[in-house]
Amino acid sequence: MPSGLFGWASPHVQPLTPVSEVSEPPESPSPYGDGPAGDAGVGTGGGDGLGPGEEEVEEDEVEPPPSAVSFWRLFEFADGIDWALMVAGALAAAAHGAALVVYLHYFGRSLNLLDSERVESALHGRSDELLHRFKEHALYIVYIAGGVFVAGWIEVSCWILTGERQTAVIRSKYVQVLLNQDMSFFDTYGNNGDIVSQVLSDVLLIQSAISEKVGNYIHNMATFVGGLVVGLINCWQIALLTLATGPLIVAAGGISNIFLHRLAENIQDAYAEAASIAEQAIAYIRTLYAFTNETLAKYSYATSLQATLRYGILISLVQGIGLGFTYGLAICSCALQLWVGRHLIARGKADGGQVVVALFSVILSGLGLNQAATNFYSFEQGRIAAYRLYEMISRSTSSTNQEGSTLPQVQGNIEFRNVYFSYLSRPEIPILSGFFLTVPARKTVALVGRNGSGKSSIIPLMERFYDPTLGEVLLDGENIKNLSVEWLRSQIGLVTQEPALLSLSIRENIAYGRSTTFDQIEEAAKTAHAHGFISSLEKGYETQVGRAGMALSDEQKIKISIARAVLSNPSILLLDEVTGGLDFEAEKAVQEALDVLMLGRSTIIIARRLSLIKNADYIAVMEEGHLVEMGTHDELLNLDGLYAELLRCEEATKLPKRMPTKNGKERKSLQIEDLSASQSFQESSSPKMAKSPSLQRTHGMLQFWRSDTNKNSHESPKDQSPPSEQTIDNGIPLVATERAPSIKRQDSFEMKLPDLPKVDIHPIQRQSSKNSEPDSPISPLLTSDPKNERSHSQTFSRPQSEQDDTSSEESEPDELQHHKPPSFWRLAALSIAEWPYALLGTIGAAIFGSFNPLLAYTIALIVSAYYRIDVSDMHHEVNRWCLFIVGMGVITVLVNWLQHFYFGIMGEKMTERIRRMMFSAILRNEAGWFDKEENSADTLSMRLANDATFVRAAFSNRLSIFIQDTAAVSVALLIGMLLGWRVALVALATLPVLIISAIAQKLWLAGFSKGIQEMHRKASLVLEDAVRNIYTVVAFCAGNKIMELYRLHLGKILKQSLVHGLAIGFGFGFSQFLLFACNALLLWYTAISVDKQRLSIATGLKEYILFSFASFALVEPFGLAPYILKRRKSLTSVFQIIDREPKIDPDDNTGLKPPNVYGSIEFKNVDFSYPTRPELLVLSNFNLKVSGGQTVAVVGVSGSGKSTIISLIERFYDPVTGQVLLDGRDIKSFNLRWLRSHMGLIQQEPVIFSTTIRENIIYARHNATEAEMKEAARIANAHHFISSLPHGYDTHVGMRGVDLTAGQKQRIAIARVVLKNAPILLLDEASSAIESESSRVVQEALDTLVMGNKTTILIAHRAAMMKHVDNIVVLNGGRIVEQGTHDSLMDMNGLYVRLMQPHFGKGLRQHRLM
């Protein structure tokens, strides 16, 4: 029997989280609402179990109701077997649901045995007959237990199996349609595997709706109908009376719920403000540290938490009163029914057993109805998810004509004739316009051009992923539209920049879905120079690779993809910058393999590094979608046109071939490529990137260098990428090609920006500059206004970029080495200050808990009075006990209020305290800690919001329930012992069995889905790989192979789920069996005791009633065990943050604080690498001396380590070796906050907080006067524009305020530093494209700033800054390569001259105001 059988199960306090995630399954405060599994999701009326936090988010989002399919369409893919399973499952569920009510019927029949005490009764004095009747009833209960076991087993097994079968069909249909889509589909919806994870989550919703939830619904409806029927059969008067009082009880719960929803919205809004403060502080952590404003941030956060605290306490109050009235009314209604029962019995219209059965079966039926209603939410979610999936399944597949002719033999003459082309996802951006190109048979043509010249689109057009808008592509004179696509693709070998390996064996990766012999595969591997390394592997060609298998080096991957291309002996080769990320030796090896491969084949190479293609037969130079030059290397050099310029630029910025890496190991991936206007170190991180224009062009560093070209040709301004150095300078240098995965994510994000709600884009750029992951698009939540908080947090969920291995290896030992979940005593110590509240709450909980057995015992007394046992005057006796019950009802209101209100206060204060502790602890960490993926601003703000409430749930809510149940057990045992100790001991002995079965049932159900979900996740890996590398899959026509693999996985999962379903069904049935069997045992033992004259029959039945009630209520809390286990992880994470020792401690007061600072700075033999990428040295044996008052400019290509210098002076990081000295002392010896207070930092992307302009300026010095602030603004050339705004300095600059231009933001940032008036200035000059007028004003402000006699270190991008500088240092690869004044460096004609060349790529002209 489910826990809340008689409705007195402990109410579970719902901790109100100020975030949309509710930390418990929400519970309803109605006695009809304590459901078997405690999982009321959405209820009806009083059982409105939707957690207030949840409901509110629902309301916000669902203004137009989302499209959904009809309920019956959910079963669209069911076959005959499924229908048979569903019918069997439905019948079993109905039987299982009705069992409880049938049990009640026999419970009433056992009570009627009390009749034997009456002298005129037939059983009077016939103890053997009585014993026989008792045993008979015990046996009936055993039969019911057996029936429940079978029904439970069938119910769960059938529904689980049919759910799995139907969703397998949905999954495979979806995947089939997905893999047959046109390429433009993947351009529009992104190809980063999210489409696959979306289907996984949607299918789970459908599966839940069509399997367990339907079973659960039928089960509960059977209880509802059965309860009414049994109630009406036994005693219709009482049944109707119970029905009549129901609405009152429901109303009490409903009214309190209305208030709770309102308050929940308020608490959400209240917390939104605090969340915004926390998120801004964390996102702009470097600015916060540079201005030493930690205390201010903590103070603001703590103050804004007070509102949340007030609402939280109000909620506890409403909850306590609501629950109190609901339970109180229910108890009083019980008294009324029993009192009316007395009249019916006196008139002979019913007997005692019937009255009790009628009362409880109707209560039970109400409970069933409420529980049934909780499934509607899941049905709704399933229907919405089904709409999304079915819409995709019904999509038409690829429109490319599969039929077509084939050529008898391929010569390999390729011609592009007047081709116009733009991607479907962005038709307004022309990629090729009037493009002509001829590739003679068996010759090699290399395509070069700046980023965005359209060269990457040649491969997809040749492969017919797309068709040209106008013009034609010919192969041997035949338009490729007329050729069979499959045949065409089989004639082409494609080798891409990022080799696409599926999670399969090497052999299958080379075959890639084509049917070949092993000899052919081996032959292909030999041609690709791959046979050697493959044979050396333990399993050879059967070695598993891909995400689930062995990690191969880039060189090995490329060789495998070359073998894949050679396998079908193609006549045409398409190579996409294959050797891009390899080191020298690997590049040589791959190049040799490619040279063999290109012999006698028509080859098109997309080149980004010109040095690699000097030997091509022809070089074609593209610009803005046209062919501008064509010829051999030497001819083009003599022409001295675009090719020659591109080549010069490449030479100019030649970086050393490899960055110095630690311990001499050269890491392939850390190769820095030449950076020039045409070649970024990586134009597009993979072939699939090239597909969408945003991806194709805005890649690598140059996406920023050339940001204005991008803007003119094909980016709307609001899509503009953040400027280059930002990525490098504020976080981690973006040099390593390792970052490719997260770059990819950024692009897919940018691509979709236009559809999102309008947000101020500058903050996004700014934040990413501050954030740990250089290119993660951080949620603009911070700049939003609090009212929109909820919606934004959903809109901009942060993509999980794949972390590189090194950083995850690094972070693990550091964080988790010493953390165990906190002990109970540590949690208790946190809330020790609230002990008076805890005491009052405990009193309330204990009294309320003890009411459970007391009520049961009182009902037993009334029943025995019905049979006139030991009673002279039945009326008087029943009246007395009914009044006693009414008294209990009244006291219930009070004690519930005590319990919930005071434990609520304790919980809220604890949550608030933990949030404050976490926030303070976060703000103590060194900047490097925030660079880790798991410590991004979004993640940390989520943890502040959610994890603190878990601590509360784990402590105060659990404590409250624990006390309540301990009281119930103790009182039940006490009464039991007084009545007859033997029966009490038997009841006590059954308790552990019941508890174990309840816990097992929960764990079983949870564990079941987990195992299967894990298998689905593995199956989807293959799919995600396929979607990520959809280019390669389509190019090699491997879609069917992938489909086959996926079906194979699904088959395995089905087998597994059959076994699983049966096992879990057995477990579920058995745990239900134990509940009834223990009850039967109790009845049987009571009968034996009565027979042996140890007890009177009245006493025996009183014990039986008492323990039947108590055991069902007691089992409930133990079912919560899995939740407690699940939350331990959150608890651990909270204390992990609180207990972490920072590597650079700002609270260390032993540091020096000298009275004055001269400002001489020196770097001595500094080696430095960022903690997230320790293998890459950014500065290597770096030495630099800056005298006090001197101005030094640092210039260099992107990624040469310029901004790192500023980070080391501000002590965001410590050098790995060597020292940074200030006035001759190591900066580690100074007090950290003192040190930072003597430095003024202007970052490249100025950080503006979403508050007023005034507060943004005085952020530097809070005690500054109005006059000082305005003077600072004047010096920064900002006063004029601020005064012209309607609200002047009080203008709010958040989303709703004025959108400041880049120049205005910079001037505000400069004003802030002027106001700080620090002796050392660190300027990271903005490289973003400021409009020239504004740029002049900013320039003047900077000139004024630099001319003061402060020590200034300036990271310069523009020659305009050089005229005020005492010394210029040119960096390359972490070392100083040239230094001197502007004129002396110009005379040297070295790297400096090339960096400052005005024609350094078209995109830079506007930046150089020379």
Side-chain angles (χ1 to χ4, degrees):
M1 275 208 272
S3 55
L5 170 57
F6 300 119
W8 319 118
S10 49
H12 297 306
V13 194
Q14 156 69 7
L16 271 144
T17 53
V19 278
S20 60
E21 184 191 326
V22 176
S23 54
E24 290 288 311
E27 219 80 31
S28 55
S30 112
Y32 295 136
D34 281 298
D39 62 355
V42 189
T44 48
D48 205 353
L50 200 92
E54 240 173 29
E55 162 83 5
E56 185 271 321
V57 171
E58 288 311 312
E59 281 175 2
D60 252 29
E61 245 137 70
V62 191
E63 278 146 12
S67 316
V69 301
S70 69
F71 180 69
W72 295 108
R73 266 201 72 194
L74 286 175
F75 302 97
E76 194 171 300
F77 298 103
D79 57 12
I81 298 178
D82 288 320
W83 283 109
L85 284 169
M86 288 193 286
V87 168
L91 291 172
H96 185 181
L100 196 48
V101 196
V102 176
Y103 160 78
L104 253 186
H105 184 67
Y106 283 104
F107 177 79
R109 298 277 286 277
S110 345
L111 292 187
N112 277 344
L113 295 178
L114 280 170
D115 202 36
S116 65
E117 294 287 279
R118 292 212 335 273
V119 182
E120 58 270 31
S121 153
L123 286 174
H124 187 65
R126 298 170 56 189
S127 57
D128 48 343
E129 177 66 18
L130 188 62
L131 178 65
H132 172 70
R133 293 283 289 279
F134 258 127
K135 285 184 171 169
E136 198 178 55
H137 285 135
L139 207 56
Y140 284 142
I141 296 176
V142 173
Y143 294 151
I144 294 174
V148 165
F149 172 52
V150 176
W153 191 354
I154 295 174
E155 173 190 2
V156 172
S157 313
C158 287
W159 284 114
I160 278 173
L161 192 59
T162 181
E164 200 57 58
R165 280 180 52 111
Q166 290 176 56
T167 47
V169 180
I170 296 178
R171 281 187 162 101
S172 64
K173 280 201 163 30
Y174 179 90
V175 171
Q176 193 154 17
V177 173
L178 181 67
L179 292 177
N180 285 323
Q181 289 302 311
D182 279 331
M183 279 297 153
S184 54
F185 170 84
F186 294 100
D187 287 350
T188 314
Y189 293 99
N191 59 333
N192 48 15
D194 290 352
I195 314 178
V196 177
S197 46
Q198 173 69 37
V199 61
L200 264 183
S201 54
D202 277 352
V203 166
L204 287 177
L205 290 173
I206 296 178
Q207 187 168 349
S208 157
I210 63 179
S211 59
E212 60 208 272
K213 296 298 180 192
V214 179
N216 190 301
Y217 178 73
I218 295 173
H219 173 131
N220 284 307
M221 286 309 283
T223 309
F224 167 63
V225 176
L228 283 183
V229 171
V230 169
L232 292 167
I233 288 174
N234 272 284
C235 178
W236 62 267
Q237 296 94 330
I238 293 285
L240 291 177
L241 187 59
T242 314
L243 276 178
T245 53
L248 274 177
I249 299 165
V250 169
I255 292 169
S256 71
N257 266 11
I258 292 169
F259 283 109
L260 284 177
H261 290 324
R262 295 252 170 88
L263 287 169
E265 284 179 28
N266 296 343
I267 199 171
Q268 203 104 345
D269 292 338
Y271 185 67
E273 190 183 327
S276 161
I277 291 172
E279 197 163 349
Q280 284 195 70
I282 299 167
Y284 302 150
I285 194 73
R286 286 176 174 74
T287 304
L288 183 86
Y289 284 172
F291 288 94
T292 59
N293 267 331
E294 294 97 323
T295 322
L296 172 77
K298 289 178 199 171
Y299 175 76
S300 321
Y301 185 65
T303 359
S304 57
L305 279 180
Q306 294 312 306
T308 318
L309 181 67
R310 283 197 299 277
Y311 281 121
I313 291 174
L314 255 180
I315 285 179
S316 308
L317 177 66
V318 173
Q319 211 169 18
I321 294 175
L323 281 172
F325 272 104
T326 310
Y327 281 118
L329 283 171
I331 293 176
C332 293
S333 133
C334 217
L336 172 70
Q337 262 73 291
L338 291 167
W339 180 76
V340 172
R342 182 203 77 180
H343 290 285
L344 294 173
I345 291 167
R347 303 215 169 98
K349 291 195 176 156
D351 55 35
Q354 287 169 339
V355 170
V356 173
V357 171
L359 170 61
F360 287 119
S361 57
V362 175
I363 287 183
L364 203 61
S365 102
L367 197 69
L369 184 64
N370 184 58
Q371 280 300 308
T374 61
N375 295 301
F376 285 122
Y377 181 68
S378 300
F379 294 154
E380 188 61 21
Q381 291 297 309
R383 288 173 46 220
I384 294 169
Y387 180 83
R388 289 194 289 257
L389 287 187
Y390 291 2
E391 192 181 33
M392 175 72 186
I393 289 174
S394 58
R395 267 182 85 98
S396 56
T397 47
S398 173
S399 54
T400 319
N401 172 16
Q402 298 298 331
E403 288 76 55
S405 55
T406 60
L407 300 177
Q409 137 187 41
V410 178
Q411 297 298 319
N413 291 302
I414 301 170
E415 188 181 346
F416 283 75
R417 197 178 284 169
N418 194 20
V419 171
Y420 285 81
F421 172 65
S422 59
Y423 289 104
L424 279 177
S425 52
R426 299 185 155 198
E428 72 287 353
I429 299 172
I431 306 297
L432 299 178
S433 32
F435 178 71
F436 287 88
L437 173 71
T438 309
V439 179
R442 301 183 181 76
K443 296 285 188 207
T444 299
V445 173
L447 293 173
V448 299
R450 289 202 176 102
N451 263 2
S453 57
K455 56 185 185 294
S456 304
S457 59
I458 303 301
I459 288 183
L461 286 171
M462 192 63 226
E463 283 273 10
R464 262 202 90 194
F465 294 153
Y466 307 97
D467 286 331
T469 324
L470 279 173
E472 46 189 6
V473 182
L474 309 177
L475 171 60
D476 291 346
E478 180 71 43
N479 188 334
I480 61 171
K481 280 190 185 179
N482 307 331
L483 299 173
S484 151
V485 175
E486 223 161 283
W487 176 84
L488 173 71
R489 288 176 184 162
S490 69
Q491 296 303 311
I492 300 178
L494 171 68
V495 183
T496 57
Q497 199 183 14
E498 192 177 84
L501 294 186
L502 297 177
S503 305
L504 299 168
S505 67
I506 291 181
R507 181 177 60 74
E508 291 171 302
N509 264 300
I510 294 177
Y512 222 68
R514 295 165 292 186
S515 45
T516 47
T517 64
F518 185 68
D519 293 343
Q520 287 170 306
I521 288 177
E522 207 168 61
E523 196 47 49
K526 283 177 180 158
T527 314
H529 293 15
H531 182 66
F533 92 82
I534 298 176
S535 319
S536 68
L537 296 171
E538 193 183 332
K539 294 186 181 162
Y541 283 85
E542 294 307 318
T543 309
Q544 288 289 318
V545 292
R547 282 196 286 175
M550 182 179 150
L552 298 177
S553 69
D554 289 356
E555 175 193 355
Q556 292 169 331
K557 285 181 191 167
I558 289 175
K559 284 179 173 171
I560 289 178
S561 72
I562 293 174
R564 180 194 297 159
V566 189
L567 183 63
S568 54
N569 191 19
S571 333
I572 300 166
L573 269 185
L574 304 177
L575 306 179
D576 186 0
E577 178 64 293
V578 176
T579 53
L582 299 180
D583 60 27
F584 188 64
E585 292 76 16
E587 189 176 297
K588 215 166 90 187
V590 171
Q591 201 59 54
E592 281 169 16
L594 288 175
D595 291 341
V596 178
L597 192 55
M598 295 190 310
L599 286 176
R601 293 189 167 98
S602 311
T603 308
I604 297 180
I605 301 176
I606 308 287
R608 290 173 184 76
R609 290 196 296 161
L610 308 189
S611 48
L612 298 178
I613 53 161
K614 291 177 178 164
N615 307 331
D617 298 316
Y618 299 101
I619 295 172
V621 187
M622 291 176 67
E623 175 77 338
E624 301 206 336
H626 304 282
L627 181 64
V628 288
E629 301 168 11
M630 183 156 176
T632 62
H633 175 71
D634 299 332
E635 289 167 10
L636 292 175
L637 275 185
N638 297 336
L639 193 66
D640 195 28
L642 181 60
Y643 179 73
E645 184 187 332
L646 292 176
L647 202 62
R648 277 198 298 275
C649 289
E650 178 169 316
E651 297 300 319
T653 51
K654 262 291 196 272
L655 283 177
K657 195 61 190 150
R658 293 192 252 328
M659 270 264 181
T661 53
K662 274 196 207 166
N663 61 27
K665 270 202 328 224
E666 313 280 57
R667 287 270 309 246
K668 299 178 191 54
S669 45
L670 301 177
Q671 159 93 31
I672 311 282
E673 302 313 349
D674 324 320
L675 186 89
S676 74
S678 68
Q679 286 75 21
S680 62
F681 73 100
Q682 198 187 10
E683 178 192 346
S684 123
S685 62
S686 76
K688 47 179 196 284
M689 294 278 79
K691 177 178 343 124
S692 131
S694 80
L695 312 192
Q696 169 192 353
R697 303 204 173 69
T698 52
H699 243 299
M701 300 299 186
L702 275 196
Q703 92 196 47
F704 316 124
W705 281 119
R706 311 188 55 257
S707 57
D708 46 342
T709 351
N710 281 345
K711 185 154 60 179
N712 308 344
S713 59
H714 42 247
E715 295 261 49
S716 60
K718 68 168 175 238
D719 259 317
Q720 241 210 295
S721 324
S724 101
E725 286 278 283
Q726 162 201 340
T727 332
I728 300 147
D729 291 3
N730 288 301
I732 308 165
L734 216 177
V735 271
T737 20
E738 261 183 12
R739 281 321 298 166
S742 67
I743 292 176
K744 226 181 294 179
R745 288 314 178 94
Q746 176 176 7
D747 274 337
S748 59
F749 174 85
E750 278 180 23
M751 195 169 107
K752 292 183 183 162
L753 259 182
D755 330 328
L756 299 171
K758 162 90 179 77
V759 236
D760 174 11
I761 298 292
H762 305 297
I764 301 181
Q765 299 175 0
R766 255 186 283 121
Q767 286 162 9
S768 52
S769 81
K770 299 306 311 152
N771 189 8
S772 49
E773 284 285 31
D775 22 32
S776 57
I778 290 303
S779 144
L781 197 84
L782 318 190
T783 49
S784 69
D785 89 352
K787 295 197 181 45
N788 285 2
E789 208 73 32
R790 285 186 298 275
S791 49
H792 285 314
S793 53
Q794 266 112 15
T795 319
F796 285 83
S797 54
R798 180 160 183 270
Q800 290 292 313
S801 53
E802 299 111 88
Q803 228 178 329
D804 28 40
D805 314 333
T806 48
S807 78
S808 53
E809 285 158 20
E810 281 295 301
S811 61
E812 286 310 312
D814 167 40
E815 300 297 342
L816 294 174
Q817 54 204 3
H818 51 265
H819 259 283
K820 303 188 293 295
S823 67
F824 177 82
W825 299 114
R826 173 152 191 196
L827 294 176
L830 273 175
S831 47
I832 198 76
E834 278 81 54
W835 71 266
Y837 299 124
L839 188 66
L840 287 167
T842 303
I843 293 171
I847 296 176
F848 185 59
S850 62
F851 275 7
N852 174 321
L854 280 175
L855 183 68
Y857 182 60
T858 315
I859 291 176
L861 288 174
I862 290 178
V863 171
S864 57
Y866 281 164
Y867 290 100
R868 298 187 172 74
I869 298 168
D870 314 328
V871 177
S872 49
D873 176 4
M874 174 175 94
H875 286 237
H876 176 69
E877 194 71 11
V878 172
N879 290 353
R880 195 174 75 188
W881 290 122
C882 283
L883 275 174
F884 181 69
I885 295 179
V886 171
M888 277 164 74
V890 173
I891 296 171
T892 297
V893 180
L894 178 71
V895 294
N896 259 295
W897 169 74
L898 276 179
Q899 176 184 354
H900 293 285
F901 182 54
Y902 287 109
F903 272 123
I905 293 180
M906 179 175 142
E908 284 300 329
K909 292 208 164 190
M910 185 170 187
T911 306
E912 187 248 4
R913 187 170 298 130
I914 295 241
R915 281 198 176 121
R916 285 205 327 258
M917 285 167 69
M918 274 176 83
F919 189 60
S920 300
I922 288 171
L923 295 190
R924 281 180 56 218
N925 290 312
E926 70 282 1
W929 186 74
F930 296 92
D931 294 342
K932 291 183 185 153
E933 177 76 20
E934 67 270 24
N935 302 327
S936 68
D938 279 16
T939 322
L940 290 173
S941 354
M942 277 311 284
R943 283 167 71 175
L944 274 171
N946 295 339
D947 292 4
T949 56
F950 296 154
V951 178
R952 166 205 173 140
F955 183 70
S956 73
N957 302 11
R958 294 287 165 271
L959 189 64
S960 151
I961 289 170
F962 176 75
I963 291 167
Q964 185 178 315
D965 293 313
T966 315
V969 177
S970 320
V971 174
L973 279 175
L974 184 69
I975 298 176
M977 289 290 188
L978 293 174
L979 288 173
W981 58 273
R982 289 186 182 85
V983 180
L985 286 180
V986 172
L988 186 62
T990 62
L991 199 59
V993 179
L994 294 176
I995 288 167
I996 287 167
S997 86
I999 292 178
Q1001 182 185 330
K1002 293 249 173 173
L1003 287 175
W1004 241 312
L1005 288 172
F1008 163 68
S1009 49
K1010 200 175 256 137
I1012 295 281
Q1013 273 172 31
E1014 187 50 35
M1015 290 179 74
H1016 274 303
R1017 203 187 56 73
K1018 286 210 175 103
S1020 71
L1021 276 183
V1022 177
L1023 275 189
E1024 279 183 42
D1025 287 341
V1027 172
R1028 282 211 169 89
N1029 305 308
I1030 193 77
Y1031 254 38
T1032 321
V1033 171
V1034 175
F1036 290 101
C1037 307
N1040 293 339
K1041 170 72 180 168
I1042 293 193
M1043 201 52 238
E1044 197 182 302
L1045 272 167
Y1046 190 60
R1047 289 214 169 108
L1048 201 75
H1049 273 292
L1050 286 179
K1052 280 189 199 150
I1053 292 175
L1054 269 180
K1055 280 198 193 106
Q1056 182 74 13
S1057 68
L1058 175 65
V1059 176
H1060 244 110
L1062 287 171
I1064 188 147
F1066 177 84
F1068 180 74
F1070 192 64
S1071 70
Q1072 296 291 308
F1073 167 79
L1074 285 174
L1075 266 175
F1076 286 98
C1078 289
N1079 197 280
L1081 172 74
L1082 197 61
L1083 183 62
W1084 171 81
Y1085 187 74
T1086 309
I1088 299 287
S1089 305
V1090 169
D1091 190 51
K1092 298 246 168 70
Q1093 309 280 306
R1094 295 184 190 133
L1095 295 173
S1096 73
I1097 183 163
T1099 315
L1101 281 171
K1102 280 176 196 165
E1103 290 220 44
Y1104 176 58
I1105 293 175
L1106 175 72
F1107 287 117
S1108 294
F1109 260 64
S1111 63
F1112 290 119
L1114 298 183
V1115 169
E1116 168 73 1
F1118 295 102
L1120 293 172
Y1123 282 108
I1124 300 176
L1125 297 173
K1126 199 166 78 182
R1127 296 291 178 222
R1128 285 176 72 136
K1129 202 160 151 207
S1130 305
L1131 293 188
T1132 313
S1133 86
V1134 168
F1135 288 98
Q1136 185 179 309
I1137 289 180
I1138 291 175
D1139 297 339
R1140 183 177 185 274
E1141 285 298 318
K1143 296 202 172 82
I1144 301 176
D1145 189 358
D1147 296 332
D1148 178 12
N1149 289 322
T1150 54
L1152 306 169
K1153 299 182 182 177
N1156 41 17
V1157 175
Y1158 300 102
S1160 69
I1161 294 172
E1162 186 180 357
F1163 282 75
K1164 262 195 178 164
N1165 312 329
V1166 169
D1167 280 5
F1168 175 72
S1169 62
Y1170 285 95
T1172 44
R1173 246 173 296 152
E1175 72 294 327
L1176 167 65
L1177 280 184
V1178 181
L1179 297 179
S1180 140
N1181 197 15
F1182 181 79
N1183 290 288
L1184 171 68
K1185 190 158 189 189
V1186 181
S1187 325
Q1190 201 183 19
T1191 299
V1192 173
V1194 182
V1195 295
V1197 291
S1198 289
S1200 53
K1202 308 187 291 291
S1203 298
T1204 307
I1205 296 175
I1206 285 187
S1207 296
L1208 288 173
I1209 298 175
E1210 276 276 3
R1211 221 180 146 207
F1212 292 147
Y1213 303 93
D1214 281 339
V1216 180
T1217 56
Q1219 290 177 305
V1220 181
L1221 308 177
L1222 171 63
D1223 295 346
R1225 293 186 180 139
D1226 190 327
I1227 60 169
K1228 289 185 188 175
S1229 62
F1230 295 104
N1231 173 288
L1232 188 60
R1233 293 203 172 106
W1234 176 90
L1235 176 77
R1236 287 176 183 162
S1237 66
H1238 285 76
M1239 296 180 183
L1241 170 69
I1242 295 186
Q1243 276 156 304
Q1244 190 180 1
E1245 273 303 304
V1247 165
I1248 302 294
F1249 292 91
S1250 91
T1251 166
T1252 58
I1253 293 179
R1254 170 191 315 277
E1255 286 180 23
N1256 265 300
I1257 296 178
I1258 63 167
Y1259 191 74
R1261 225 173 74 224
H1262 295 288
N1263 53 2
T1265 62
E1266 183 81 359
E1268 286 175 315
M1269 176 190 72
K1270 287 189 173 161
E1271 185 50 34
R1274 271 194 198 94
I1275 294 175
N1277 275 346
H1279 180 68
H1280 178 69
F1281 96 80
I1282 299 175
S1283 316
S1284 67
L1285 296 168
H1287 297 289
Y1289 283 87
D1290 293 315
T1291 306
H1292 203 282
V1293 297
M1295 270 178 60
R1296 302 255 173 263
V1298 289
D1299 281 344
L1300 299 178
T1301 64
Q1304 290 170 336
K1305 287 181 185 169
Q1306 276 175 337
R1307 284 177 277 163
I1308 290 177
I1310 294 170
R1312 193 188 286 162
V1313 171
V1314 170
L1315 185 65
K1316 187 173 183 183
N1317 194 19
I1320 297 170
L1321 266 186
L1322 306 172
L1323 280 183
D1324 198 342
E1325 188 208 344
S1327 58
S1328 56
I1330 308 175
E1331 59 287 7
S1332 46
E1333 175 52 31
S1334 170
S1335 174
R1336 188 181 53 72
V1337 181
V1338 170
Q1339 187 64 51
E1340 284 168 13
L1342 285 176
D1343 293 350
T1344 320
L1345 198 56
V1346 171
M1347 281 172 175
N1349 56 352
K1350 302 175 186 297
T1351 307
T1352 306
I1353 292 185
L1354 166 72
I1355 307 270
H1357 306 285
R1358 302 180 301 169
M1361 288 304 290
M1362 298 306 172
K1363 51 186 187 233
H1364 311 292
V1365 174
D1366 303 322
N1367 189 16
I1368 297 171
V1369 176
V1370 184
L1371 250 68
N1372 197 356
R1375 291 199 172 92
I1376 296 179
V1377 285
E1378 301 169 7
Q1379 61 175 319
T1381 58
H1382 177 70
D1383 299 335
S1384 64
L1385 289 174
M1386 289 307 279
D1387 298 342
M1388 282 167 70
N1389 196 16
L1391 179 60
Y1392 178 73
V1393 176
R1394 282 178 295 199
L1395 281 171
M1396 289 296 150
Q1397 258 177 352
H1399 64 269
F1400 181 71
K1402 201 167 82 180
L1404 288 175
R1405 285 183 192 146
Q1406 273 111 327
H1407 294 252
R1408 319 239 165 254
L1409 304 167
M1410 285 174 74

